[in-house]
Amino acid sequence: MIYWTQIGGYDMAEQNEPIMSWSFIRKCEPSDTILDILVPGEHVLQCYATLRDKAALTDKRIIFADVQGITGKKKEVYSIPYRSIDMWSSENTGHFDMDAELDLWTRAGHFTLKIAAKCNIREFDQILGSAILNR
């Protein structure tokens, strides 16, 4: 049974499954792909490595650089501006679940970020809170 059906103008029942999911493994330096698309005055606050990709939290958005193909020469870049995030939730690690999880509900849909224990989920909360609530 669903008790709350609308948040941010869309039906939560239709948004339960994420449209995309990434797993952040460790902190790293931003790649040239990420640095090349920053707008003047935009700064990387933190960068994380996924399996083959990198993701950066800037002061304006979250950027995902998705490496594709066998050679890795083809890259697709996703940007989620903080202004498009309607709601987020974070779940820290437990005894048996070693990854923390961050869910984002945006105008484009629902995204899930799995965050390894080496990465601090509360750092994500602070960056998101500062960027979203101070806009």
Side-chain angles (χ1 to χ4, degrees):
M1 180 173 276
I2 298 172
Y3 291 100
W4 37 293
T5 57
Q6 277 202 336
I7 290 186
Y10 45 75
D11 186 359
M12 289 299 292
E14 295 173 13
Q15 295 296 320
N16 283 339
E17 292 298 318
I19 58 175
M20 291 191 155
S21 180
W22 289 276
S23 295
F24 294 0
I25 299 169
R26 67 186 181 296
K27 290 183 180 181
C28 65
E29 291 298 314
S31 64
D32 289 340
T33 302
I34 290 172
L35 295 174
D36 289 344
I37 66 165
L38 297 178
V39 298
E42 183 176 17
H43 304 284
V44 173
L45 303 174
Q46 195 54 259
C47 191
Y48 297 91
T50 66
L51 292 175
R52 285 185 67 190
D53 313 322
K54 290 196 176 180
L57 283 74
T58 76
D59 54 345
K60 299 185 183 305
R61 59 186 161 163
I62 304 172
I63 301 169
F64 301 96
D66 182 17
V67 177
Q68 299 178 347
I70 295 171
T71 64
K73 289 185 179 182
K74 184 176 179 181
K75 295 176 180 73
E76 186 169 7
V77 179
Y78 299 92
S79 290
I80 301 175
Y82 293 127
R83 70 178 179 276
S84 74
I85 299 173
D86 295 319
M87 182 178 92
W88 78 93
S89 70
S90 62
E91 179 182 291
N92 61 324
T93 59
H95 290 291
F96 300 106
D97 187 7
M98 297 309 292
D99 289 337
E101 197 168 284
L102 184 76
D103 286 296
L104 304 172
W105 286 269
T106 72
R107 294 177 193 152
H110 175 201
F111 297 86
T112 297
L113 310 177
K114 294 192 184 301
I115 300 162
K118 293 184 227 177
C119 305
N120 184 353
I121 186 72
R122 298 303 163 224
E123 185 174 45
F124 279 83
D125 276 328
Q126 290 173 345
I127 292 171
L128 287 173
S130 179
I132 294 169
L133 301 175
N134 291 328
R135 56 181 161 161

